[in-house]
Amino acid sequence: MEKYTIENDIPCYRIKASSFPEGVLAAHQQLHALFPYSAGRRYYGISRPEGKGQIAYWAAAEKLSGDAPAQTLETFIIPKGQYTGTDILQFRKDIPAIGRTFQQLLTDPQIDPNGFCLEWYYNMDDVRCMVKLADNI
C-alpha cells in the first residue's frame, strides 16, 4: 500500500448505481454519456456502506470550470488529504481485484471512519483504489 496526497478538494458530478455490484457498469455508462472520456477530466467510483450489508456506489466525473450547470446531477466533493491505496493495472482482466483491494485497505487502523472507498480511473485500463486517512494522522 502507498500513501497519496490529494492537494485540493475535487468537486464532482455523480450518478448513483441502482444496485451494487450489478448497477455499477450502467452508472458509469450513464456518466460517460454525459461526460465522454477526456484526458483533461478525472473519473471516479465512490462507495461506502449503507444499511445492513449494502454498499452505495456512485460513478463520478470531475467538475470542470467550463462545464454547463448540470442541475439534475448530484454533486460531491472528494476531500483533500492523505489517502492510502494501491494501483490495479489492467483492472478489466480481474475486476474482483478492486473489491479485494478495498477489503485490504479497510483494515488500516488509520482510515477515516467517516470516509469512503475511492476508485480513480486515471486512464482507460488502470485504477487507483484509495481510502482517506483520518486528518489527525
Side-chain angles (χ1 to χ4, degrees), residues 14-59:
R14 69 183 190 176
I15 295 173
K16 189 171 186 181
S18 60
S19 62
F20 181 87
E22 298 81 9
V24 169
L25 178 59
H28 279 282
Q29 289 171 333
Q30 186 180 358
L31 181 82
H32 284 281
L34 297 170
F35 303 103
Y37 180 78
S38 164
R41 185 186 303 270
R42 293 177 282 191
Y43 299 88
Y44 301 96
I46 301 165
S47 59
R48 64 174 297 115
E50 184 176 83
K52 298 178 183 177
Q54 300 295 315
I55 302 289
Y57 186 95
W58 294 264

Side-chain angles (χ1 to χ4, degrees), residues 9 14-15 18 21-22 33 37-39 62 64-66 73-74 77 80 84 91 93 103-104 107 111 115 124-126:
D9 290 346
R14 69 183 190 176
I15 295 173
S18 60
E22 298 81 9
Y37 180 78
S38 164
E62 177 182 22
L64 300 178
S65 60
L73 291 179
E74 182 179 342
I77 302 290
K80 66 182 177 182
T84 184
F91 72 89
K93 292 182 179 179
Q103 286 177 352
Q104 186 176 8
T107 64
I111 64 171
M124 296 297 286
D125 299 311
D126 308 317

Side-chain angles (χ1 to χ4, degrees), residues 47-110:
S47 59
R48 64 174 297 115
E50 184 176 83
K52 298 178 183 177
Q54 300 295 315
I55 302 289
Y57 186 95
W58 294 264
E62 177 182 22
K63 183 178 178 183
L64 300 178
S65 60
D67 287 342
Q71 297 170 349
T72 60
L73 291 179
E74 182 179 342
T75 58
F76 182 76
I77 302 290
I78 296 171
K80 66 182 177 182
Q82 294 291 310
Y83 288 74
T84 184
T86 192
D87 291 353
I88 300 173
L89 306 179
Q90 303 284 317
F91 72 89
R92 292 183 210 297
K93 292 182 179 179
D94 185 11
I95 291 175
I98 295 171
R100 292 191 304 271
T101 298
F102 280 119
Q103 286 177 352
Q104 186 176 8
L105 290 171
L106 291 170
T107 64
D108 188 323
Q110 298 177 327

